[in-house]
Amino acid sequence: MRFNRREFLSVGIAGLGASALCSGKLQADEAEGLFIEIPTSSSGIEFVHENAMSPNRYLPETMGPGVAFLDYDNDGWMDIYIVNSGPCDIWQPPKAIRNALYKNNRDGTFTDVTLKAGVSGGTFGMGVAVGDYDNDGWPDIFVTSYGKCILYRNNHDGTFTDVTEKAGLSCPGWTTSAVWFDYDGDGRLDLFLCSFVDYSGSHKFACGDNKLGKRFYCIPRVFKGTASFLFHNNGDGTFTETSKGTDIAKALGKSLGVVATDINNDGRMDLFVANDTVQNFLFVNRGPGPNGTWKWEESALQAEVGFSDNGKARSGMGVDAADLNNDGWQDLFVANVDQEMFSLYRNNKDETFRDVAFTNGVAQATRLLSGWGLKFFDYDNDGYVDLILANGHPDDMINQYSLQVTYKEPLLLFHHGSDGKLHNVTEQGGTAFRKTFSARGLAVGDYNNDGALDVIIAVNGGRPVLLKNSAAAGSNWLGMKLEGVDCNRDAIGARIYWTAAGTKRQRLKSNGGSYLSSHDSREVLGIGKASKIEELEIHWPAPSKRIEKLTDLPINRYIRVVEGKGSVT
């Protein structure tokens, strides 16, 4: 995170006409756009993030919040959880501040059930990671913070219990993004926690005056980096830190975003971590080592994802992974601060990557933006992976002393065209894409169960932005809730192959990604104009590594697929 920028319209949206022509037919009413912004007066989501902004400009003020789609009550409809600030050593709120859990009313509206559910928070919250860590079929909630983290175990009755101390996860310091994944293939979800900078005691110094004679938010470069954490799930409700002595503990970073994926197709989940003002990390999972240890190799430099092309550390914030070109290998994305441009890394299939952001128009569109939440997803269900980016500058005074850069910034939307490239279609996105936000977290999920993935964006010091997808109308799809039996219940690490109209596509069920946020755990398989899915093949992750083939599948509905039992409608 650094500070400077503004010419978005000339760089980011200029030339859209040609791009839109290459990007394929877009299935949306031009008057509405590809996404419809749902006002809070209609949705019932009345949450407002309190960033606790003070004259001292303490750095945690500008970093949150995160947001999640989750089905906390297992009724088949996505609910929403949003993180808020709270009391800590830099701020004592004059009135009670809490996180928010909104129950989906199944009619496009939501009801605040936070107090009843017992998930108010109470710390200076940052992010949220959702996962079924105890394999009981109910999603649990982990909240990262500037201060104590919180693990909420789902009680199956609409309420949660804070089990942080019992689980051994009350991490001190400043944690940001987190991801649930099974790194050792024992069928239980482990937890990776991004740790930001050392902001304790005397380290909370001011960075002097800016051109306005006022204090500003410090560039993270001036703070000491810290090691992130890896916790192994013991299977009894407790966790053991297993990063000590590994490359994870040795790598002192300033970590903000993480995605768990398999970059080398060895069946083990790796970690790509975005760092702010120091190199990114790529922790490659090398499997069991001597004496029961687990080996991680930090290989970002060799993989060419650690630095910019000219060898400089950038300000990485949001990340994600997906198979962009359907070649069976995971590609990576990282969003940076203005002047640095974002990176789209194509997998070379040999544990190295090549930045193709320029050839996809991403670098040019993001030169003057600072990116946070983001997601690879197929927004129009044509079977190709698209991309959304949420942006906002970290310095609220940047407008007053920069001619190019603004504090609030536009969203960006890229469509995967028939030419295999991403094309900037922001201008067709809808009214929200013509506005600017101090955006932070971003989550993707189908809140109205129409098979079209919607988006929610958390805003620093403001209201969240809910975007209803109208781009997928006319495309067919199949939605799946995967349930592991021998593998982890969320089936993270599963590989999905589906064939429609003679075209075979594939997807790895990765986890994490974006910034401080968590997504709908279901998978939506887009098939465009095809009338059916000829074959669906699921490769379940370890320990079973079972392969199942399913045929005669319905379309345009959600099904439940249980490991070893096939589909259950």
Side-chain angles (χ1 to χ4, degrees):
M1 193 175 61
R2 211 194 59 237
F3 308 121
N4 257 8
R5 138 234 84 276
R6 188 185 235 129
E7 299 161 349
F8 166 73
L9 291 177
S10 62
V11 176
I13 297 184
L16 249 184
S19 293
L21 290 174
C22 295
S23 63
K25 186 176 180 181
L26 302 175
Q27 303 292 329
D29 185 335
E30 291 183 3
E32 292 285 357
L34 300 172
F35 289 86
I36 300 171
E37 183 179 1
I38 305 300
T40 56
S41 58
S42 299
S43 68
I45 301 174
E46 299 178 350
F47 178 90
V48 179
H49 177 249
E50 172 57 72
N51 60 11
M53 186 181 289
S54 68
N56 290 320
R57 292 302 192 272
Y58 293 117
L59 192 54
E61 298 168 2
T62 192
M63 302 297 287
V67 61
F69 277 115
L70 75 161
D71 182 8
Y72 84 96
D73 53 358
N74 272 350
D75 67 351
W77 294 77
M78 284 295 116
D79 311 299
I80 294 171
Y81 188 76
I82 316 175
V83 180
N84 211 339
S85 306
C88 62
D89 62 350
I90 62 171
W91 187 57
Q92 292 299 318
K95 61 179 182 180
I97 301 293
R98 58 181 175 85
N99 301 345
L101 176 63
Y102 284 95
K103 177 179 171 56
N104 192 326
N105 298 325
R106 312 184 193 185
D107 60 1
T109 68
F110 296 82
T111 298
D112 188 336
V113 295
T114 313
L115 295 178
K116 178 183 177 181
V119 289
S120 296
T123 62
F124 202 97
M126 287 283 132
V128 53
V130 177
D132 183 4
Y133 78 89
D134 51 2
N135 284 338
D136 64 356
W138 296 76
D140 309 296
I141 299 172
F142 186 78
V143 180
T144 63
S145 300
Y146 168 66
K148 177 179 174 287
C149 297
I150 305 173
L151 175 61
Y152 289 116
R153 187 188 66 215
N154 197 315
N155 295 328
H156 312 175
D157 60 0
T159 69
F160 292 78
T161 298
D162 183 343
V163 295
T164 315
E165 299 291 341
K166 177 183 176 182
L169 291 176
S170 54
C171 299
W174 185 353
T175 52
T176 52
S177 293
V179 61
W180 294 101
F181 74 121
D182 181 8
Y183 74 80
D184 58 350
D186 65 356
R188 298 187 294 265
L189 291 182
D190 310 302
L191 181 67
F192 180 86
L193 260 178
C194 287
S195 180
F196 196 40
V197 299
D198 182 355
Y199 206 69
S200 61
S202 61
H203 296 294
K204 288 188 284 290
F205 49 81
C207 287
D209 297 338
N210 59 20
K211 295 177 183 179
L212 304 175
K214 299 179 181 179
R215 287 186 177 179
F216 59 92
Y217 291 115
C218 296
I219 301 170
R221 187 177 295 112
V222 304
F223 298 104
K224 293 181 179 179
T226 58
S228 293
F229 304 95
L230 177 65
F231 288 94
H232 180 258
N233 189 330
N234 299 324
D236 60 359
T238 68
F239 293 79
T240 300
E241 185 184 348
T242 54
S243 46
K244 294 177 181 178
T246 71
D247 277 9
I248 293 175
K250 295 173 185 176
L252 298 183
K254 301 172 185 180
S255 302
L256 290 177
V258 59
V259 62
T261 188
D262 182 0
I263 61 110
N264 53 10
N265 286 348
D266 65 355
R268 291 189 289 262
M269 298 294 279
D270 312 300
L271 296 163
F272 181 49
V273 180
N275 282 306
D276 198 338
T277 68
V278 297
Q279 74 158 81
N280 299 322
F281 297 143
L282 181 61
F283 296 115
V284 180
N285 187 339
R286 298 300 186 195
N291 304 317
T293 60
W294 207 263
K295 184 170 177 56
W296 295 89
E297 181 181 353
E298 201 294 288
S299 62
L301 181 61
Q302 304 93 296
E304 300 188 42
V305 297
F307 298 92
S308 67
D309 285 344
N310 60 4
K312 292 184 178 180
R314 291 185 285 187
S315 300
M317 294 178 283
V319 296
D320 202 18
D323 180 4
L324 189 63
N325 55 350
N326 199 43
D327 65 352
W329 296 77
Q330 291 286 290
D331 308 301
L332 304 174
F333 193 96
V334 59
N336 301 302
V337 82
D338 64 279
Q339 311 299 338
E340 295 179 345
M341 295 174 288
F342 302 179
S343 286
L344 172 60
Y345 291 114
R346 179 69 50 80
N347 195 319
N348 295 327
K349 308 178 185 179
D350 59 1
E351 297 193 4
T352 70
F353 294 79
R354 180 169 61 94
D355 192 345
V356 295
F358 268 101
T359 57
N360 284 270
V362 171
Q364 301 91 313
T366 60
R367 184 172 67 86
L368 297 173
L369 301 179
S370 297
W372 305 83
L374 58 94
K375 190 67 179 133
F376 282 123
F377 72 126
D378 179 9
Y379 70 73
D380 57 351
N381 281 341
D382 65 353
Y384 294 95
V385 178
D386 310 304
L387 175 68
I388 188 168
L389 304 171
N391 311 293
H393 198 273
D395 184 359
D396 65 303
M397 290 181 282
I398 192 71
N399 308 47
Q400 302 175 53
Y401 58 89
S402 173
L403 297 178
Q404 290 187 311
V405 180
T406 57
Y407 174 55
K408 294 182 178 181
E409 298 179 345
L411 311 172
L412 290 182
L413 187 66
F414 290 85
H415 184 259
H416 194 145
S418 57
D419 60 356
K421 295 181 180 180
L422 293 174
H423 298 272
N424 190 339
V425 295
T426 304
E427 198 172 64
Q428 301 171 34
T431 56
F433 291 83
R434 295 189 285 273
K435 299 178 180 179
T436 57
F437 306 95
S438 52
R440 295 297 184 263
L442 176 151
V444 167
D446 181 9
Y447 78 85
N448 57 356
N449 281 348
D450 64 354
L453 290 171
D454 311 299
V455 179
I456 188 166
I457 298 160
V459 175
N460 182 265
R463 297 180 181 274
V465 181
L466 181 62
L467 302 178
K468 179 182 176 183
N469 186 330
S470 64
S475 290
N476 294 319
W477 55 278
L478 172 66
M480 297 190 304
K481 180 180 181 181
L482 299 183
E483 286 189 16
V485 176
D486 295 321
C487 72
N488 67 86
R489 187 67 173 254
D490 289 346
I492 294 164
R495 288 187 179 270
I496 305 164
Y497 303 83
W498 71 102
T499 303
T503 300
K504 186 173 184 178
R505 304 199 182 280
Q506 53 192 299
R507 180 179 300 170
L508 171 69
K509 188 172 174 58
S510 57
N511 202 30
S514 192
Y515 170 75
L516 303 181
S517 300
S518 197
H519 313 282
D520 189 336
S521 64
R522 300 173 298 180
E523 297 290 333
V524 178
L525 311 181
I527 60 173
K529 298 300 182 182
S531 59
K532 67 176 182 177
I533 293 178
E534 284 103 42
E535 184 176 83
L536 172 67
E537 187 172 296
I538 300 172
H539 293 207
W540 298 90
S544 74
K545 299 185 179 180
R546 181 183 283 112
I547 298 176
E548 290 187 81
K549 293 184 178 180
L550 305 175
T551 56
D552 299 322
L553 294 161
I555 60 169
N556 299 334
R557 61 174 296 180
Y558 282 95
I559 63 172
R560 178 169 157 252
V561 182
V562 181
E563 180 187 4
K565 298 181 180 179
S567 65
V568 179
T569 57

